[in-house]
Amino acid sequence: MSAAAAASSSLFQSSPFHLTPSKPRRRSHHLNLNLIRSAAGNDSPAASPPPPPTKHRRPADQNIRQEAHLLHTSSASPDHGFSAKYVPFNADPSCTESYSLDEIVYRSQSGGLLDVAHDFDALRRFDGAHWRALFDSRVGRTTWPYGSGVWSKKEWVLPEIHPDDIVSAFEGNSNLFWAERYGKQFLGMSDLWVKHCGISHTGSFKDLGMTVLVSQVNRLRRLGKPVVGVGCASTGDTSAALSAYGAAAGIPSIVFLPANRISIAQLVQPIANGAFVLSIDTDFDGCMQLIREVTAELPIYLANSLNSLRLEGQKTAAIEILQQFDWEVPDWVIVPGGNLGNIYAFYKGFHMCKELGLVDRIPRLVCAQAANANPLYLYYKSGWNDFKPVKANTTFASAIQIGDPVSIDRAVYALRNSNGIVEEATEEELMDAMAQADSTGMFICPHTGVALTALIKLRNSGIIGPTDRTVVVSTAHGLKFTQSKTDYHSRDIKDMACRFANPPVQVKADFGSVMDVLKKYLSKSS
Ligand SMILES: Cc1ncc(COP(=O)(O)O)c(C=O)c1O
Ligand SMILES: N[C@@H](CCOP(=O)(O)O)C(=O)O
């Protein structure tokens, strides 16, 4: 046994995890050393938990990025061999077309979507237990960049990016909470959970994807690639995330917004972050068309989820769900869908965990659409025979008012391969579901109301059982959509009964009047 191997094996044995690579191979000495080095917080794929925080002291004159830089560039840093590249989405296995992630490319030669393909052979040098322990060891740390729920899975996201190039607000690690009262009272369910991706830096799940995209743009600019800014079309959340991460990195962002179709809270986000905001007199699909044309002409990097880099970050929410259940797989995961990148991102995250041995199955996926913007639902109902973009009508779920989703093929792939279902929600259904959920202590966005409506329908039809472990993905923070709640609780919506409205009671400022209304209220509620 070499000195290195002896050292690594004795250190290995002292590890509380006792992890080993999946199969002993010739590289195993390096792998064991990697495990040990990871404990110092470097970029190795290691699974050994970091030392107790009290033992780790960064010199006072070093910030966390510099610390990561030193560890990354030190001679101890391993060449772990993980890599990723663009390939045509769902291509025939014989297809050899591929692109470096350092190329600026959004579509395959045939005009189809791209996907980020990871080197699974390299990742498989470690078994599932190894990856589980590695990811678990990074939760809640501040070590750069692993304090992020996205970058804690760096080897599966952008394995080759240098920590110096990463732009992160330590996004992710969002809470997954047990919706005890809502589940019991409205659905007779005992194991209902909400993954609150809206508790995030800019208030939606878009941060998960944007940290990856903007980090890669940072790298491209450092490599001297001609990228003068980043641009997107948006219904409000993508633009908020892009502007925030762009501003953090000092990269100009340009956002195309459909005039008068997004909430004030969403509009003010890119304005405050210094983005160049174009309010365009069209809908989201019109803005999307324009940004595609513009990014084909100008050196502005496209930040919508047509760009498959985004989905690499978004897929970590699925991995996080498994992690939060201690690597037990839920039965159902329900995701509201608009441009349809996220449903595929969830599928990809779950699928990678299965392929790499972290879990043994994947959940069934449900994609929920607003009935006013339901091209996927109509396609599903046609038995996947007839896809037609629709003209998306106004919906309170304004962030998913999309009629021609760019990721339609990705969504179909995700749903077909997860035995998935598509459901829809009318305006009244989604607003009632939101109000009922809020009445149990949540404060959800209308898109989450769409997802809850899908759940209600699948529960009522018996497809989802009372004890099925079910996760509803809440995609944005309710505080971004207070106007819709105000309209509902004021019963100020045409043709809607607003059955669960809870308007404030106007009362005179005297003791008798206050007592009268209180007595009336208490007699009703007892
Ligand atoms: C709050 C919110 N929920 C859901 C979605 C749907 O996500 P996707 O476009 O990836 O389907 C979006 C954006 O489209 C969104 O902003
Ligand atoms: N809801 C999105 C619509 C664009 O989606 P993307 O994921 O393709 O950027 C938004 O907030 O803009």
Side-chain angles (χ1 to χ4, degrees):
M1 187 185 269
S2 71
S8 72
S9 81
S10 67
L11 275 163
F12 218 171
Q13 278 154 18
S14 68
S15 154
F17 282 101
H18 297 291
L19 294 171
T20 48
S22 48
K23 294 181 196 101
R25 289 170 194 243
R26 283 181 31 227
R27 286 192 62 204
S28 64
H29 296 168
H30 293 275
L31 298 177
N32 287 351
L33 273 173
N34 290 346
L35 285 165
I36 298 150
R37 286 171 189 143
S38 155
N42 76 6
D43 203 24
S44 84
S48 181
T54 47
K55 290 197 183 149
H56 175 72
R57 284 281 180 271
R58 168 167 45 87
D61 61 350
Q62 210 180 68
N63 66 39
I64 56 170
R65 196 187 278 279
Q66 290 164 332
E67 176 192 45
H69 179 96
L70 285 177
L71 287 164
H72 189 85
T73 52
S74 77
S75 57
S77 182
D79 174 13
H80 49 57
F82 300 139
S83 64
K85 60 187 177 187
Y86 294 121
V87 298
F89 172 73
N90 194 21
D92 188 271
S94 63
C95 173
T96 54
E97 183 183 341
S98 71
Y99 307 90
S100 156
L101 298 189
D102 293 337
E103 286 183 64
I104 298 173
V105 52
Y106 313 119
R107 288 273 185 192
S108 70
Q109 272 163 15
S110 67
L113 294 162
L114 294 175
D115 199 18
V116 173
H118 290 265
D119 179 351
F120 269 56
D121 289 340
L123 294 171
R124 275 202 189 95
R125 290 195 197 111
F126 298 88
D127 65 9
H130 177 114
W131 288 116
R132 287 196 301 260
L134 176 65
F135 295 159
D136 285 349
S137 76
R138 290 172 176 169
V139 175
R141 302 268 157 185
T142 52
T143 311
W144 186 263
Y146 304 125
S148 155
V150 172
W151 297 108
S152 62
K153 283 112 189 148
K154 180 176 183 293
E155 295 82 357
W156 290 25
V157 175
L158 287 187
E160 291 160 291
I161 197 164
H162 194 288
D164 274 1
D165 290 327
I166 290 175
V167 183
S168 169
F170 281 10
E171 51 292 307
N173 291 323
S174 61
N175 57 325
L176 172 64
F177 69 88
W178 183 36
E180 180 182 11
R181 188 170 152 221
Y182 184 82
K184 198 162 143 188
Q185 185 168 329
F186 296 111
L187 296 160
M189 291 181 80
S190 56
D191 212 0
L192 174 63
W193 298 76
V194 176
K195 172 68 172 166
H196 204 336
C197 295
I199 297 186
S200 184
H201 187 57
T202 69
S204 87
F205 70 96
K206 306 286 180 176
D207 294 341
L208 304 176
M210 213 52 85
T211 180
V212 176
L213 184 134
V214 173
S215 298
Q216 179 64 13
V217 171
N218 215 20
R219 172 180 161 95
L220 294 176
R221 281 162 62 99
R222 190 179 49 74
L223 294 174
K225 302 272 175 176
V227 180
V228 298
V230 273
C232 72
S234 182
T235 53
D237 291 323
T238 296
S239 44
L242 177 63
S243 315
Y245 285 84
I251 301 173
S253 48
I254 299 119
V255 305
F256 288 13
L257 303 180
N260 305 319
R261 286 178 171 86
I262 70 171
S263 76
I264 293 288
Q266 289 171 310
L267 173 62
V268 81
Q269 290 184 284
I271 291 173
N273 286 141
F276 187 55
V277 179
L278 302 191
S279 178
I280 306 179
D281 190 16
T282 180
D283 57 10
F284 170 80
D285 297 299
C287 289
M288 189 71 224
Q289 181 59 34
L290 283 168
I291 194 77
R292 280 165 71 166
E293 286 166 15
V294 166
T295 51
E297 288 293 318
L298 296 176
I300 296 172
Y301 194 78
L302 179 67
N304 283 101
S305 60
L306 173 66
N307 187 326
S308 44
L309 284 178
R310 280 265 312 280
L311 307 182
E312 291 309 290
Q314 289 173 211
K315 80 183 178 196
T316 61
I319 307 170
E320 242 175 57
I321 289 174
L322 298 174
Q323 193 168 19
Q324 286 165 312
F325 284 133
D326 213 4
W327 304 102
E328 277 181 20
V329 183
D331 300 302
W332 298 92
V333 174
I334 307 178
V335 185
N339 221 11
L340 300 180
N342 211 28
I343 186 77
Y344 176 69
F346 269 89
Y347 170 79
K348 192 170 184 185
F350 289 128
H351 178 70
M352 275 186 87
C353 286
K354 178 167 172 278
E355 283 300 295
L356 293 167
L358 285 73
V359 294
D360 59 4
R361 65 185 178 95
I362 68 167
R364 288 184 72 181
L365 297 181
V366 178
C367 190
Q369 292 213 294
N372 280 358
N374 62 353
L376 180 73
Y377 177 77
L378 296 177
Y379 193 18
Y380 172 76
K381 282 289 173 190
S382 77
W384 302 126
N385 275 322
D386 188 20
F387 175 71
K388 284 199 199 79
V390 300
K391 178 81 189 155
N393 290 315
T394 306
T395 167
F396 282 105
S398 53
I400 54 175
Q401 189 184 332
I402 297 174
D404 191 7
V406 299
S407 286
I408 183 74
D409 294 345
R410 290 175 175 142
V412 173
Y413 184 91
L415 290 159
R416 291 189 112 149
N417 285 288
S418 63
N419 194 13
I421 294 176
V422 186
E423 262 300 349
E424 67 170 358
T426 65
E427 293 303 289
E428 183 145 21
E429 286 169 338
L430 75 92
M431 292 299 276
D432 281 349
M434 178 170 81
Q436 285 186 314
D438 286 357
S439 77
T440 66
M442 298 187 221
F443 195 76
I444 60 168
C445 69
H447 321 85
T448 310
V450 172
L452 286 176
T453 302
L455 171 60
I456 294 167
K457 291 183 174 177
L458 294 171
R459 244 326 267 131
N460 288 344
S461 64
I463 293 174
I464 295 186
T467 58
D468 287 0
R469 179 173 287 180
T470 303
V471 178
V472 170
V473 176
S474 182
T475 43
H477 203 293
L479 285 170
K480 286 191 175 202
F481 298 93
T482 47
Q483 188 59 50
S484 59
K485 292 179 192 283
T486 307
D487 292 348
Y488 184 91
H489 289 290
S490 315
R491 295 208 172 85
D492 197 14
I493 304 174
K494 196 166 167 281
D495 297 330
M496 198 180 285
C498 304
R499 287 183 298 147
F500 309 105
N502 179 31
V505 176
Q506 302 291 333
V507 59
K508 275 205 274 181
D510 70 73
F511 180 73
S513 306
V514 170
M515 285 298 279
D516 284 350
V517 296
L518 280 178
K519 281 182 190 155
K520 206 165 143 198
Y521 166 73
L522 293 173
S523 68
K524 266 201 287 180
S525 55
S526 60

PDB file of all heavy atoms in Angstrom, residues 152-164:
ATOM      1  N   SER A 152     -24.177  23.517  -3.770  1.00  0.00           N
ATOM      2  CA  SER A 152     -23.851  22.364  -2.921  1.00  0.00           C
ATOM      3  C   SER A 152     -23.885  21.084  -3.769  1.00  0.00           C
ATOM      4  O   SER A 152     -23.404  20.040  -3.338  1.00  0.00           O
ATOM      5  CB  SER A 152     -24.821  22.258  -1.737  1.00  0.00           C
ATOM      6  OG  SER A 152     -26.140  22.048  -2.203  1.00  0.00           O
ATOM      7  N   LYS A 153     -24.459  21.205  -4.966  1.00  0.00           N
ATOM      8  CA  LYS A 153     -24.483  20.072  -5.901  1.00  0.00           C
ATOM      9  C   LYS A 153     -23.641  20.425  -7.132  1.00  0.00           C
ATOM     10  O   LYS A 153     -23.957  20.005  -8.255  1.00  0.00           O
ATOM     11  CB  LYS A 153     -25.928  19.756  -6.327  1.00  0.00           C
ATOM     12  CG  LYS A 153     -26.706  19.005  -5.269  1.00  0.00           C
ATOM     13  CD  LYS A 153     -27.793  19.829  -4.674  1.00  0.00           C
ATOM     14  CE  LYS A 153     -28.393  19.114  -3.478  1.00  0.00           C
ATOM     15  NZ  LYS A 153     -28.868  20.076  -2.463  1.00  0.00           N
ATOM     16  N   LYS A 154     -22.611  21.177  -6.948  1.00  0.00           N
ATOM     17  CA  LYS A 154     -21.822  21.740  -8.058  1.00  0.00           C
ATOM     18  C   LYS A 154     -21.385  20.684  -9.070  1.00  0.00           C
ATOM     19  O   LYS A 154     -21.426  20.899 -10.276  1.00  0.00           O
ATOM     20  CB  LYS A 154     -20.586  22.440  -7.485  1.00  0.00           C
ATOM     21  CG  LYS A 154     -19.675  23.063  -8.527  1.00  0.00           C
ATOM     22  CD  LYS A 154     -18.533  23.807  -7.847  1.00  0.00           C
ATOM     23  CE  LYS A 154     -17.641  24.510  -8.863  1.00  0.00           C
ATOM     24  NZ  LYS A 154     -16.891  23.597  -9.725  1.00  0.00           N
ATOM     25  N   GLU A 155     -20.968  19.513  -8.580  1.00  0.00           N
ATOM     26  CA  GLU A 155     -20.470  18.459  -9.485  1.00  0.00           C
ATOM     27  C   GLU A 155     -21.534  18.014 -10.472  1.00  0.00           C
ATOM     28  O   GLU A 155     -21.211  17.485 -11.530  1.00  0.00           O
ATOM     29  CB  GLU A 155     -19.996  17.244  -8.673  1.00  0.00           C
ATOM     30  CG  GLU A 155     -18.786  17.508  -7.780  1.00  0.00           C
ATOM     31  CD  GLU A 155     -19.138  18.160  -6.465  1.00  0.00           C
ATOM     32  OE1 GLU A 155     -20.328  18.484  -6.237  1.00  0.00           O
ATOM     33  OE2 GLU A 155     -18.225  18.363  -5.638  1.00  0.00           O
ATOM     34  N   TRP A 156     -22.803  18.199 -10.101  1.00  0.00           N
ATOM     35  CA  TRP A 156     -23.914  17.797 -10.966  1.00  0.00           C
ATOM     36  C   TRP A 156     -24.487  18.978 -11.746  1.00  0.00           C
ATOM     37  O   TRP A 156     -25.464  18.826 -12.480  1.00  0.00           O
ATOM     38  CB  TRP A 156     -25.049  17.208 -10.129  1.00  0.00           C
ATOM     39  CG  TRP A 156     -24.791  15.887  -9.497  1.00  0.00           C
ATOM     40  CD1 TRP A 156     -23.583  15.326  -9.158  1.00  0.00           C
ATOM     41  CD2 TRP A 156     -25.781  14.943  -9.093  1.00  0.00           C
ATOM     42  NE1 TRP A 156     -23.765  14.117  -8.562  1.00  0.00           N
ATOM     43  CE2 TRP A 156     -25.112  13.854  -8.511  1.00  0.00           C
ATOM     44  CE3 TRP A 156     -27.167  14.924  -9.146  1.00  0.00           C
ATOM     45  CZ2 TRP A 156     -25.794  12.745  -7.993  1.00  0.00           C
ATOM     46  CZ3 TRP A 156     -27.850  13.826  -8.637  1.00  0.00           C
ATOM     47  CH2 TRP A 156     -27.152  12.749  -8.076  1.00  0.00           C
ATOM     48  N   VAL A 157     -23.943  20.160 -11.527  1.00  0.00           N
ATOM     49  CA  VAL A 157     -24.529  21.368 -12.118  1.00  0.00           C
ATOM     50  C   VAL A 157     -23.581  21.915 -13.189  1.00  0.00           C
ATOM     51  O   VAL A 157     -23.807  21.730 -14.387  1.00  0.00           O
ATOM     52  CB  VAL A 157     -24.841  22.405 -11.011  1.00  0.00           C
ATOM     53  CG1 VAL A 157     -25.325  23.715 -11.599  1.00  0.00           C
ATOM     54  CG2 VAL A 157     -25.900  21.855 -10.052  1.00  0.00           C
ATOM     55  N   LEU A 158     -22.538  22.596 -12.748  1.00  0.00           N
ATOM     56  CA  LEU A 158     -21.472  23.028 -13.670  1.00  0.00           C
ATOM     57  C   LEU A 158     -20.160  22.560 -13.058  1.00  0.00           C
ATOM     58  O   LEU A 158     -19.501  23.310 -12.332  1.00  0.00           O
ATOM     59  CB  LEU A 158     -21.431  24.553 -13.813  1.00  0.00           C
ATOM     60  CG  LEU A 158     -22.513  25.271 -14.590  1.00  0.00           C
ATOM     61  CD1 LEU A 158     -22.170  26.758 -14.737  1.00  0.00           C
ATOM     62  CD2 LEU A 158     -22.700  24.652 -15.961  1.00  0.00           C
ATOM     63  N   PRO A 159     -19.775  21.316 -13.300  1.00  0.00           N
ATOM     64  CA  PRO A 159     -18.617  20.764 -12.587  1.00  0.00           C
ATOM     65  C   PRO A 159     -17.325  21.511 -12.867  1.00  0.00           C
ATOM     66  O   PRO A 159     -16.442  21.554 -12.011  1.00  0.00           O
ATOM     67  CB  PRO A 159     -18.534  19.323 -13.103  1.00  0.00           C
ATOM     68  CG  PRO A 159     -19.419  19.241 -14.294  1.00  0.00           C
ATOM     69  CD  PRO A 159     -20.415  20.351 -14.192  1.00  0.00           C
ATOM     70  N   GLU A 160     -17.239  22.133 -14.043  1.00  0.00           N
ATOM     71  CA  GLU A 160     -15.938  22.694 -14.411  1.00  0.00           C
ATOM     72  C   GLU A 160     -15.774  24.179 -14.094  1.00  0.00           C
ATOM     73  O   GLU A 160     -14.690  24.727 -14.274  1.00  0.00           O
ATOM     74  CB  GLU A 160     -15.691  22.464 -15.908  1.00  0.00           C
ATOM     75  CG  GLU A 160     -15.479  20.987 -16.194  1.00  0.00           C
ATOM     76  CD  GLU A 160     -15.713  20.638 -17.650  1.00  0.00           C
ATOM     77  OE1 GLU A 160     -16.875  20.696 -18.091  1.00  0.00           O
ATOM     78  OE2 GLU A 160     -14.745  20.319 -18.335  1.00  0.00           O
ATOM     79  N   ILE A 161     -16.808  24.814 -13.614  1.00  0.00           N
ATOM     80  CA  ILE A 161     -16.671  26.252 -13.381  1.00  0.00           C
ATOM     81  C   ILE A 161     -15.799  26.503 -12.149  1.00  0.00           C
ATOM     82  O   ILE A 161     -15.854  25.754 -11.160  1.00  0.00           O
ATOM     83  CB  ILE A 161     -18.056  26.937 -13.235  1.00  0.00           C
ATOM     84  CG1 ILE A 161     -17.920  28.442 -13.415  1.00  0.00           C
ATOM     85  CG2 ILE A 161     -18.710  26.605 -11.910  1.00  0.00           C
ATOM     86  CD1 ILE A 161     -19.233  29.161 -13.667  1.00  0.00           C
ATOM     87  N   HIS A 162     -14.977  27.531 -12.236  1.00  0.00           N
ATOM     88  CA  HIS A 162     -14.114  27.885 -11.107  1.00  0.00           C
ATOM     89  C   HIS A 162     -14.955  28.629 -10.066  1.00  0.00           C
ATOM     90  O   HIS A 162     -15.783  29.474 -10.444  1.00  0.00           O
ATOM     91  CB  HIS A 162     -12.978  28.773 -11.619  1.00  0.00           C
ATOM     92  CG  HIS A 162     -11.865  28.933 -10.643  1.00  0.00           C
ATOM     93  ND1 HIS A 162     -11.981  29.695  -9.502  1.00  0.00           N
ATOM     94  CD2 HIS A 162     -10.618  28.397 -10.616  1.00  0.00           C
ATOM     95  CE1 HIS A 162     -10.849  29.639  -8.828  1.00  0.00           C
ATOM     96  NE2 HIS A 162      -9.994  28.847  -9.476  1.00  0.00           N
ATOM     97  N   PRO A 163     -14.752  28.364  -8.795  1.00  0.00           N
ATOM     98  CA  PRO A 163     -15.544  29.062  -7.770  1.00  0.00           C
ATOM     99  C   PRO A 163     -15.463  30.587  -7.891  1.00  0.00           C
ATOM    100  O   PRO A 163     -16.399  31.293  -7.535  1.00  0.00           O
ATOM    101  CB  PRO A 163     -14.934  28.598  -6.442  1.00  0.00           C
ATOM    102  CG  PRO A 163     -14.239  27.326  -6.754  1.00  0.00           C
ATOM    103  CD  PRO A 163     -13.833  27.370  -8.207  1.00  0.00           C
ATOM    104  N   ASP A 164     -14.339  31.088  -8.443  1.00  0.00           N
ATOM    105  CA  ASP A 164     -14.198  32.540  -8.613  1.00  0.00           C
ATOM    106  C   ASP A 164     -15.257  33.115  -9.533  1.00  0.00           C
ATOM    107  O   ASP A 164     -15.609  34.291  -9.424  1.00  0.00           O
ATOM    108  CB  ASP A 164     -12.842  32.864  -9.258  1.00  0.00           C
ATOM    109  CG  ASP A 164     -11.750  32.974  -8.222  1.00  0.00           C
ATOM    110  OD1 ASP A 164     -12.051  32.784  -7.032  1.00  0.00           O
ATOM    111  OD2 ASP A 164     -10.595  33.224  -8.611  1.00  0.00           O
TER     112      ASP A 164
END
